[in-house]
Amino acid sequence: QTVVTQEPSFSVSPGGTVTLTCGLSSGSVSTSYYPSWYQQTPGQAPRTLIYSTNTRSSGVPDRFSGSILGNKAALTITGAQADDESDYYCVLYMGSGMVFGGGTKLTVL
Amino acid sequence: QVQLVQSGAEVKKPGASVKVSCKASGYTFTGYYMHWVRQAPGQGLEWMGRINPNSGGTNYAQKFQGRVTMTRDTSISTAYMELSRLRSDDTAVYYCASGYSGYDYGSGYYYYYMDVWGKGTTVTVSS
C-alpha cells in the first residue's frame, strides 16, 4: 500500500522561509492527486490552508503557497511567524479515497 | 456563517457501537460532501470516509470497511458516523468536515478536499 510521506519535523526562524513536502512511498505526486494542506495546533480542529495543489482557502494569508516541486507536493511559508508553529498535514486523493500524510511538526525559533 | 456542530463526548465499552452527529448550518447541506476524519491521542489525522448528503452515496477507507456507516438526515441538515465493534485503539477525536469529493457542477472542475471542520467529538473506548 502506498504511503504518503512528510518530514516528521522542521524548524524555521521567525521571518524565514520554509518548504514542507508531501511525497509517495512509491511514485510521484502530481496535480492529479489534488494535494491539499491543513494546519493544526494542539487541541484544535484542523484548518484548511491549500487545496488543488495551489489554491488558498478563504482567509489564508498569501505567505502560504502550494506547488509541485519535483516529484512531491510542497507547502511554502514565507515570512514565518510565531503562530505558524503547528502541525501541518497534506492529503492526497488516491482514487479510492483520501489519504493523509503523517504530518510535519513545524517549530518557529 | 458556515458551521458544523458535533455531538458531545462519548465513553463506550469494547465491542459496542458509537454514533457521532454533525449538524450543518450556514450553507446548503446537500451541496457539499461530508468527510469524517479521526485522530488518536498523540497521533496524526486519518481519513475514514465521506458521504454525499444529496444522494446518500458513501465511500469508506478500506481500513474501516464493514465497521463504519455514514448516513445523513437532510431534513435536519445532519450527518452521522457510526463505528461498530469498538476497540481500545478506536479511542480518538472524530471530526466531520464539509468539502468536496469529485466533479463540482458549479465550477466545472474536480475538487477533493475538506473545507470547513467541526470542533471534534472525543470517543473513549475503555472497559
Short mmCIF file of all heavy atoms in Angstrom, two decimals, chain B residues 33-71:
data_model
loop_
_atom_site.label_atom_id
_atom_site.label_comp_id
_atom_site.label_asym_id
_atom_site.label_seq_id
_atom_site.Cartn_x
_atom_site.Cartn_y
_atom_site.Cartn_z
N TYR B 33 -20.02 17.46 0.07
CA TYR B 33 -19.77 16.20 0.74
C TYR B 33 -19.45 16.42 2.21
O TYR B 33 -19.01 17.51 2.61
CB TYR B 33 -18.58 15.48 0.08
CG TYR B 33 -18.90 14.89 -1.26
CD1 TYR B 33 -18.92 15.67 -2.41
CD2 TYR B 33 -19.19 13.53 -1.39
CE1 TYR B 33 -19.21 15.11 -3.65
CE2 TYR B 33 -19.47 12.96 -2.63
CZ TYR B 33 -19.48 13.78 -3.75
OH TYR B 33 -19.78 13.23 -4.96
N MET B 34 -19.65 15.38 3.01
CA MET B 34 -19.23 15.41 4.40
C MET B 34 -18.19 14.30 4.60
O MET B 34 -18.47 13.12 4.37
CB MET B 34 -20.40 15.19 5.35
CG MET B 34 -20.04 15.49 6.81
SD MET B 34 -19.74 17.24 7.10
CE MET B 34 -21.42 17.87 7.10
N HIS B 35 -17.00 14.73 5.00
CA HIS B 35 -15.93 13.80 5.30
C HIS B 35 -15.87 13.55 6.81
O HIS B 35 -16.26 14.41 7.61
CB HIS B 35 -14.58 14.38 4.86
CG HIS B 35 -14.47 14.66 3.41
ND1 HIS B 35 -13.88 13.76 2.52
CD2 HIS B 35 -14.86 15.72 2.66
CE1 HIS B 35 -13.91 14.27 1.31
NE2 HIS B 35 -14.50 15.45 1.36
N TRP B 36 -15.35 12.40 7.17
CA TRP B 36 -15.08 12.09 8.57
C TRP B 36 -13.61 11.72 8.73
O TRP B 36 -13.07 10.92 7.95
CB TRP B 36 -15.97 10.95 9.06
CG TRP B 36 -17.41 11.37 9.20
CD1 TRP B 36 -18.38 11.31 8.23
CD2 TRP B 36 -18.03 11.93 10.36
NE1 TRP B 36 -19.55 11.81 8.72
CE2 TRP B 36 -19.38 12.18 10.02
CE3 TRP B 36 -17.60 12.23 11.65
CZ2 TRP B 36 -20.30 12.73 10.93
CZ3 TRP B 36 -18.50 12.77 12.55
CH2 TRP B 36 -19.83 13.02 12.19
N VAL B 37 -12.99 12.33 9.72
CA VAL B 37 -11.55 12.19 9.98
C VAL B 37 -11.37 11.94 11.46
O VAL B 37 -12.08 12.54 12.28
CB VAL B 37 -10.80 13.48 9.56
CG1 VAL B 37 -9.34 13.42 9.96
CG2 VAL B 37 -10.94 13.73 8.06
N ARG B 38 -10.44 11.08 11.84
CA ARG B 38 -10.21 10.87 13.26
C ARG B 38 -8.75 11.08 13.62
O ARG B 38 -7.87 11.05 12.74
CB ARG B 38 -10.69 9.48 13.69
CG ARG B 38 -9.76 8.34 13.32
CD ARG B 38 -10.28 7.03 13.90
NE ARG B 38 -9.34 5.93 13.71
CZ ARG B 38 -9.56 4.70 14.14
NH1 ARG B 38 -10.69 4.39 14.79
NH2 ARG B 38 -8.65 3.76 13.95
N GLN B 39 -8.50 11.27 14.89
CA GLN B 39 -7.15 11.50 15.39
C GLN B 39 -7.00 10.86 16.76
O GLN B 39 -7.59 11.31 17.74
CB GLN B 39 -6.85 13.00 15.48
CG GLN B 39 -5.42 13.33 15.86
CD GLN B 39 -5.13 14.81 15.70
OE1 GLN B 39 -5.97 15.66 15.99
NE2 GLN B 39 -3.93 15.15 15.24
N ALA B 40 -6.24 9.78 16.81
CA ALA B 40 -5.95 9.11 18.07
C ALA B 40 -5.01 10.00 18.90
O ALA B 40 -4.31 10.84 18.36
CB ALA B 40 -5.31 7.75 17.81
N PRO B 41 -5.00 9.80 20.21
CA PRO B 41 -4.17 10.65 21.07
C PRO B 41 -2.70 10.66 20.65
O PRO B 41 -2.09 9.60 20.50
CB PRO B 41 -4.35 10.02 22.45
CG PRO B 41 -5.67 9.34 22.38
CD PRO B 41 -5.82 8.85 20.98
N GLY B 42 -2.17 11.84 20.42
CA GLY B 42 -0.78 11.98 20.04
C GLY B 42 -0.43 11.52 18.64
O GLY B 42 0.75 11.47 18.28
N GLN B 43 -1.44 11.19 17.85
CA GLN B 43 -1.20 10.67 16.51
C GLN B 43 -1.67 11.66 15.44
O GLN B 43 -2.19 12.74 15.75
CB GLN B 43 -1.93 9.34 16.33
CG GLN B 43 -1.52 8.28 17.33
CD GLN B 43 -0.05 7.95 17.26
OE1 GLN B 43 0.50 7.67 16.17
NE2 GLN B 43 0.63 7.99 18.40
N GLY B 44 -1.49 11.28 14.20
CA GLY B 44 -1.89 12.13 13.09
C GLY B 44 -3.34 11.96 12.72
O GLY B 44 -4.10 11.22 13.36
N LEU B 45 -3.72 12.68 11.67
CA LEU B 45 -5.09 12.63 11.18
C LEU B 45 -5.29 11.44 10.24
O LEU B 45 -4.36 11.05 9.52
CB LEU B 45 -5.42 13.93 10.45
CG LEU B 45 -5.33 15.20 11.30
CD1 LEU B 45 -5.36 16.45 10.41
CD2 LEU B 45 -6.46 15.25 12.30
N GLU B 46 -6.49 10.89 10.26
CA GLU B 46 -6.79 9.69 9.45
C GLU B 46 -8.16 9.86 8.80
O GLU B 46 -9.16 10.05 9.50
CB GLU B 46 -6.76 8.45 10.34
CG GLU B 46 -7.01 7.15 9.63
CD GLU B 46 -6.82 5.95 10.55
OE1 GLU B 46 -7.09 6.08 11.77
OE2 GLU B 46 -6.43 4.88 10.06
N TRP B 47 -8.21 9.78 7.49
CA TRP B 47 -9.48 9.90 6.77
C TRP B 47 -10.24 8.59 6.87
O TRP B 47 -9.70 7.51 6.60
CB TRP B 47 -9.19 10.21 5.30
CG TRP B 47 -10.37 10.49 4.44
CD1 TRP B 47 -11.07 11.66 4.37
CD2 TRP B 47 -11.00 9.60 3.50
NE1 TRP B 47 -12.09 11.55 3.44
CE2 TRP B 47 -12.06 10.28 2.90
CE3 TRP B 47 -10.75 8.28 3.11
CZ2 TRP B 47 -12.88 9.72 1.92
CZ3 TRP B 47 -11.55 7.71 2.14
CH2 TRP B 47 -12.62 8.43 1.56
N MET B 48 -11.52 8.69 7.26
CA MET B 48 -12.35 7.50 7.44
C MET B 48 -13.28 7.25 6.26
O MET B 48 -13.61 6.11 5.95
CB MET B 48 -13.18 7.63 8.71
CG MET B 48 -12.38 7.77 9.98
SD MET B 48 -13.42 7.93 11.42
CE MET B 48 -14.14 6.27 11.50
N GLY B 49 -13.71 8.35 5.63
CA GLY B 49 -14.64 8.19 4.52
C GLY B 49 -15.44 9.46 4.32
O GLY B 49 -15.22 10.47 4.97
N ARG B 50 -16.39 9.37 3.37
CA ARG B 50 -17.23 10.54 3.12
C ARG B 50 -18.60 10.10 2.63
O ARG B 50 -18.77 8.97 2.16
CB ARG B 50 -16.56 11.48 2.11
CG ARG B 50 -16.25 10.87 0.73
CD ARG B 50 -17.42 10.83 -0.17
NE ARG B 50 -17.13 10.45 -1.52
CZ ARG B 50 -18.01 9.86 -2.32
NH1 ARG B 50 -19.24 9.58 -1.91
NH2 ARG B 50 -17.69 9.57 -3.56
N ILE B 51 -19.55 11.00 2.77
CA ILE B 51 -20.90 10.76 2.30
C ILE B 51 -21.34 11.93 1.44
O ILE B 51 -20.98 13.09 1.70
CB ILE B 51 -21.89 10.54 3.47
CG1 ILE B 51 -23.29 10.23 2.95
CG2 ILE B 51 -21.91 11.74 4.43
CD1 ILE B 51 -24.25 9.73 4.02
N ASN B 52 -22.06 11.63 0.40
CA ASN B 52 -22.71 12.64 -0.42
C ASN B 52 -24.09 12.89 0.19
O ASN B 52 -24.97 12.03 0.07
CB ASN B 52 -22.84 12.14 -1.86
CG ASN B 52 -23.52 13.14 -2.77
OD1 ASN B 52 -24.26 14.01 -2.31
ND2 ASN B 52 -23.28 13.02 -4.05
N PRO B 53 -24.29 14.00 0.87
CA PRO B 53 -25.59 14.22 1.54
C PRO B 53 -26.76 14.28 0.57
O PRO B 53 -27.90 14.07 0.98
CB PRO B 53 -25.39 15.56 2.26
CG PRO B 53 -23.93 15.67 2.45
CD PRO B 53 -23.34 15.07 1.21
N ASN B 54 -26.49 14.57 -0.69
CA ASN B 54 -27.58 14.65 -1.66
C ASN B 54 -28.10 13.26 -2.01
O ASN B 54 -29.30 13.00 -1.94
CB ASN B 54 -27.11 15.38 -2.91
CG ASN B 54 -28.24 15.66 -3.88
OD1 ASN B 54 -29.34 16.05 -3.47
ND2 ASN B 54 -27.98 15.47 -5.15
N SER B 55 -27.19 12.38 -2.36
CA SER B 55 -27.60 11.04 -2.81
C SER B 55 -27.54 9.99 -1.70
O SER B 55 -28.15 8.93 -1.81
CB SER B 55 -26.68 10.58 -3.95
OG SER B 55 -25.35 10.40 -3.46
N GLY B 56 -26.77 10.28 -0.66
CA GLY B 56 -26.53 9.28 0.38
C GLY B 56 -25.39 8.34 0.04
O GLY B 56 -25.05 7.46 0.84
N GLY B 57 -24.80 8.50 -1.12
CA GLY B 57 -23.70 7.63 -1.52
C GLY B 57 -22.49 7.79 -0.62
O GLY B 57 -22.18 8.90 -0.16
N THR B 58 -21.81 6.69 -0.35
CA THR B 58 -20.69 6.71 0.58
C THR B 58 -19.43 6.12 -0.05
O THR B 58 -19.50 5.34 -1.02
CB THR B 58 -21.01 5.92 1.85
OG1 THR B 58 -21.41 4.59 1.48
CG2 THR B 58 -22.11 6.58 2.66
N ASN B 59 -18.30 6.49 0.50
CA ASN B 59 -17.01 5.92 0.14
C ASN B 59 -16.20 5.83 1.43
O ASN B 59 -15.92 6.85 2.06
CB ASN B 59 -16.30 6.81 -0.89
CG ASN B 59 -14.95 6.24 -1.29
OD1 ASN B 59 -14.72 5.04 -1.17
ND2 ASN B 59 -14.05 7.10 -1.76
N TYR B 60 -15.87 4.60 1.82
CA TYR B 60 -15.17 4.39 3.08
C TYR B 60 -13.72 3.99 2.83
O TYR B 60 -13.43 3.25 1.88
CB TYR B 60 -15.85 3.29 3.91
CG TYR B 60 -17.31 3.52 4.21
CD1 TYR B 60 -18.23 2.47 4.15
CD2 TYR B 60 -17.79 4.78 4.57
CE1 TYR B 60 -19.57 2.67 4.43
CE2 TYR B 60 -19.13 4.99 4.86
CZ TYR B 60 -20.01 3.93 4.78
OH TYR B 60 -21.34 4.14 5.06
N ALA B 61 -12.83 4.44 3.72
CA ALA B 61 -11.46 3.95 3.67
C ALA B 61 -11.46 2.45 3.91
O ALA B 61 -12.26 1.94 4.73
CB ALA B 61 -10.62 4.66 4.73
N GLN B 62 -10.60 1.76 3.21
CA GLN B 62 -10.57 0.30 3.30
C GLN B 62 -10.45 -0.19 4.74
O GLN B 62 -11.06 -1.18 5.13
CB GLN B 62 -9.42 -0.24 2.45
CG GLN B 62 -9.41 -1.76 2.31
CD GLN B 62 -8.35 -2.25 1.35
OE1 GLN B 62 -7.51 -1.48 0.86
NE2 GLN B 62 -8.37 -3.53 1.05
N LYS B 63 -9.68 0.54 5.53
CA LYS B 63 -9.44 0.13 6.92
C LYS B 63 -10.73 0.01 7.71
O LYS B 63 -10.83 -0.80 8.63
CB LYS B 63 -8.51 1.14 7.58
CG LYS B 63 -8.27 0.92 9.06
CD LYS B 63 -7.30 1.94 9.62
CE LYS B 63 -7.10 1.75 11.11
NZ LYS B 63 -6.09 2.67 11.66
N PHE B 64 -11.73 0.80 7.36
CA PHE B 64 -12.96 0.87 8.15
C PHE B 64 -14.14 0.14 7.50
O PHE B 64 -15.23 0.09 8.07
CB PHE B 64 -13.34 2.32 8.42
CG PHE B 64 -12.28 3.07 9.17
CD1 PHE B 64 -11.41 3.93 8.51
CD2 PHE B 64 -12.13 2.90 10.54
CE1 PHE B 64 -10.41 4.60 9.19
CE2 PHE B 64 -11.14 3.57 11.23
CZ PHE B 64 -10.28 4.43 10.56
N GLN B 65 -13.92 -0.40 6.31
CA GLN B 65 -14.98 -1.11 5.61
C GLN B 65 -15.54 -2.21 6.51
O GLN B 65 -14.80 -2.99 7.10
CB GLN B 65 -14.44 -1.75 4.33
CG GLN B 65 -13.96 -0.77 3.28
CD GLN B 65 -15.02 -0.46 2.24
OE1 GLN B 65 -16.17 -0.87 2.39
NE2 GLN B 65 -14.65 0.28 1.22
N GLY B 66 -16.87 -2.26 6.61
CA GLY B 66 -17.52 -3.28 7.42
C GLY B 66 -17.77 -2.85 8.86
O GLY B 66 -18.53 -3.50 9.57
N ARG B 67 -17.10 -1.78 9.29
CA ARG B 67 -17.30 -1.30 10.67
C ARG B 67 -17.90 0.08 10.74
O ARG B 67 -18.42 0.49 11.78
CB ARG B 67 -15.97 -1.28 11.43
CG ARG B 67 -15.53 -2.58 12.00
CD ARG B 67 -14.71 -2.40 13.27
NE ARG B 67 -13.59 -1.49 13.13
CZ ARG B 67 -13.17 -0.68 14.09
NH1 ARG B 67 -13.80 -0.62 15.25
NH2 ARG B 67 -12.12 0.11 13.89
N VAL B 68 -17.81 0.85 9.66
CA VAL B 68 -18.29 2.23 9.68
C VAL B 68 -19.51 2.37 8.78
O VAL B 68 -19.60 1.71 7.72
CB VAL B 68 -17.19 3.21 9.24
CG1 VAL B 68 -16.87 3.08 7.75
CG2 VAL B 68 -17.56 4.65 9.59
N THR B 69 -20.44 3.19 9.23
CA THR B 69 -21.61 3.52 8.43
C THR B 69 -21.84 5.02 8.52
O THR B 69 -21.98 5.57 9.62
CB THR B 69 -22.86 2.78 8.93
OG1 THR B 69 -22.61 1.37 8.95
CG2 THR B 69 -24.05 3.06 8.02
N MET B 70 -21.87 5.68 7.37
CA MET B 70 -22.14 7.11 7.33
C MET B 70 -23.52 7.33 6.72
O MET B 70 -23.82 6.78 5.66
CB MET B 70 -21.06 7.82 6.52
CG MET B 70 -19.69 7.72 7.16
SD MET B 70 -18.38 8.47 6.20
CE MET B 70 -16.95 7.94 7.15
N THR B 71 -24.31 8.11 7.40
CA THR B 71 -25.68 8.39 6.96
C THR B 71 -25.94 9.88 7.10
O THR B 71 -25.11 10.63 7.61
CB THR B 71 -26.70 7.60 7.78
OG1 THR B 71 -26.52 7.93 9.17
CG2 THR B 71 -26.53 6.09 7.59
#
